[in-house]
Amino acid sequence: MDKYIYADNAATTKLDMEAFEEMKLYLLNEYGNASQPYSFSRNVKKALLHSRKIIAKGINAEPDEIYFTSGGTESDNWAIKGVESTNAQKFIITSQIEHKAIIKACEDLEVIGNKVVYLPVNNFGEIDDNELVKAIARDTSLVSIMYANNEIGTIQPIKELAAITHKNGAVFHTDAVQAIGHVNIDVKELDVDLLSASAHKFNGPKGIGFLYVKKGTNISSFISGGSQEFGLRAGTENIASIVGMAIALKNNLEHLEENIKHVQYLENILIEELKSANIDFIRNGTNALPGNISLSFKGMSGEILLHRLDLMGVLVSTGSACDSVNTQISHVIKAINCDKEYAEGTIRISLSKNNTLEDVKFIVNSLIKIIKNIKSA
Ligand code: PLP
């Protein structure tokens, strides 16, 4: 992997080494089923409890408000469908720029008769509080707004949106998959009812995540079976991955401020160097998640830029990696009304704590070279 510069950290991140080492123990030695009463499972049960505590502490929740899932997609689907099934026929409010895990879950519910309002965003990807106030006047059961957008990084005013939602008696969910482990998140301060997270976005393993469910929130179980996860999410616990997720989150949060500073420093250099090379581009989004850089280059094709960067050993994305088979302009770039001359030339560079100044210099120089070459051809 050393021959590549990995700058697609919004798609996934490198596994934390300490998490990996600890995971091996639970895969090879302490492999007992956490539900069994014998002594061999005692350490496994302890690890499950301990991990739940670490994760809860990381977002200022209580341990019994953390429900382990298979990742962001499951957490999002559970939040939407689990609340709705307790509130049949009421409105759901979400936004036009949510991840497909939310949008498709809402579409599933529309098929069976639920009504969904997809709030618009402005050119920066921000939701206007007043749009929510207008929409929520209808009989609404659930509002789901992402904490930070995966394509353009825009962070939403979650605390304000949750307050409006509660004033109107509805439940508030936020998809914080991109944000957890990268900015400080305090569920009590935000006063959200439900929050989704996925470990591989914060240096944990893939296929594991969690849904925070505030005590007292009315939500039905999503996967039926055994009594794991307080009877709401059945299935033998993936202990190794849960342990790995907790360690990865703890390690990221312990160095949060320095990671943010480092990534923002690199981000500024990248933007300034593009500007001084007189490259014609727009930076999408505002108040963006540190390291999430969505750029639209005038008259370019994002796909061509991605492939040429790949040939030079630089890995970026054209938008959402989870949707990379869909090569049209993404629903997010459409929703922010990006100028047509720029929209097709959109790429997302997502930097992490592991990227260096040399990485960023190489990325920006490669980009400048590619764009100048295309222009002069
Ligand atoms: N929500 C957001 C904002 C995401 O960025 C992603 C993945 O890119 C998901 C949900 C889905 O997470 P996972 O792929 O871990 O299921």
Side-chain angles (χ1 to χ4, degrees):
M1 189 62 199
D2 277 340
K3 66 189 175 96
Y4 291 108
I5 291 175
Y6 187 73
D8 197 18
N9 291 279
T12 196
T13 55
K14 185 175 175 175
L15 184 61
D16 178 292
M17 205 54 198
E18 188 192 334
F20 175 60
E21 289 301 330
E22 199 66 10
M23 284 174 74
K24 282 199 289 192
L25 175 72
Y26 290 92
L27 288 168
L28 299 174
N29 301 358
E30 303 279 1
Y31 55 82
N33 185 321
S35 301
Q36 291 300 71
Y38 41 65
S39 54
F40 181 53
S41 286
R42 202 168 297 143
N43 280 344
V44 180
K45 231 172 284 176
K46 265 194 202 158
L48 182 62
L49 278 175
H50 185 60
S51 300
R52 211 187 290 283
K53 269 190 198 158
I54 292 177
I55 288 171
K57 188 165 175 245
I59 60 168
N60 195 23
E62 303 306 318
D64 57 359
E65 294 175 317
I66 303 296
Y67 293 75
F68 296 123
T69 66
S70 65
T73 301
E74 183 186 324
S75 298
D76 283 350
N77 270 268
W78 183 11
I80 300 285
K81 295 175 181 174
V83 170
E84 250 352 80
S85 67
T86 65
N87 283 287
Q89 303 310 317
K90 287 190 181 174
F91 278 86
I92 302 166
I93 299 175
T94 186
S95 84
Q96 291 176 0
I97 62 165
E98 297 298 308
H99 187 272
K100 287 283 157 86
I102 292 290
I103 292 187
K104 298 263 179 181
C106 288
E107 287 172 2
D108 287 349
L109 292 179
E110 284 183 285
V111 170
I112 57 166
N114 289 79
K115 301 271 188 299
V116 183
V117 176
Y118 299 89
L119 295 180
V121 291
N122 66 15
N123 293 345
F124 300 105
E126 296 167 307
I127 287 164
D128 181 349
D129 289 10
N130 293 324
E131 291 288 341
L132 178 59
V133 171
K134 267 191 263 163
I136 210 165
R138 280 169 278 203
D139 198 11
T140 301
S141 52
L142 173 70
V143 176
S144 177
I145 303 292
M146 70 202 315
Y147 191 98
N149 184 265
N150 46 307
E151 291 189 38
I152 59 172
T154 300
I155 295 176
Q156 303 294 347
I158 294 300
K159 190 175 173 178
E160 289 72 22
L161 298 172
I164 295 168
T165 301
H166 290 148
K167 217 190 251 173
N168 288 273
V171 170
F172 189 87
H173 166 251
T174 187
D175 172 347
V177 165
Q178 288 290 334
I180 293 277
H182 303 287
V183 288
N184 185 38
I185 292 194
D186 178 329
V187 290
K188 291 201 173 78
E189 159 78 12
L190 292 172
D191 196 20
V192 296
D193 303 302
L194 303 159
L195 175 145
S196 302
S198 188
H200 72 104
K201 307 287 188 181
F202 54 82
N203 307 94
K206 293 171 182 59
I208 191 79
F210 64 88
L211 181 67
Y212 157 78
V213 182
K214 186 179 169 182
K215 240 172 256 168
T217 305
N218 209 0
I219 186 165
S220 64
S221 82
F222 189 53
I223 295 184
S224 306
S227 58
Q228 294 93 349
E229 299 306 296
F230 316 108
L232 283 187
R233 199 284 186 181
T236 302
E237 300 89 344
N238 183 349
I239 299 295
S241 294
I242 289 169
V243 167
M245 169 163 67
I247 293 173
L249 184 61
K250 183 170 79 56
N251 285 346
N252 266 12
L253 293 180
E254 271 171 10
H255 300 280
L256 190 65
E257 292 309 318
E258 67 189 84
N259 291 346
I260 292 176
K261 259 195 206 146
H262 174 69
V263 162
Q264 283 176 337
Y265 161 71
L266 298 179
E267 193 176 304
N268 289 338
I269 288 176
L270 194 146
I271 299 293
E272 288 314 311
E273 300 242 330
L274 278 178
K275 281 186 190 161
S276 20
N278 283 324
I279 300 291
D280 194 348
F281 73 100
I282 299 170
R283 178 167 186 188
N284 302 306
T286 185
N287 181 29
L289 206 57
N292 186 315
I293 313 162
S294 171
L295 305 170
S296 296
F297 296 94
K298 189 176 180 186
M300 295 286 142
S301 148
E303 238 196 304
I304 291 177
L305 293 179
L306 179 150
H307 290 300
R308 298 231 178 147
L309 282 169
D310 187 8
L311 288 174
M312 297 175 89
V314 175
L315 306 176
V316 301
S317 157
T318 51
S320 162
C322 315
D323 200 18
S324 61
V325 281
N326 186 351
T327 53
Q328 307 148 356
I329 296 170
S330 82
H331 68 290
V332 177
I333 298 299
K334 276 186 196 149
I336 61 171
N337 236 330
C338 181
D339 186 326
K340 269 210 178 93
E341 286 192 296
Y342 291 81
E344 277 187 17
T346 303
I347 59 167
R348 178 190 67 190
I349 299 170
S350 42
L351 302 173
S352 79
K353 60 183 183 182
N354 297 323
N355 286 116
T356 62
L357 181 59
E358 290 69 41
D359 287 351
V360 165
K361 293 227 154 150
F362 190 82
I363 295 170
V364 84
N365 289 335
S366 306
L367 248 180
I368 294 168
K369 225 182 266 173
I370 292 167
I371 291 170
K372 290 198 167 160
N373 264 340
I374 294 175
K375 277 193 155 171
S376 65

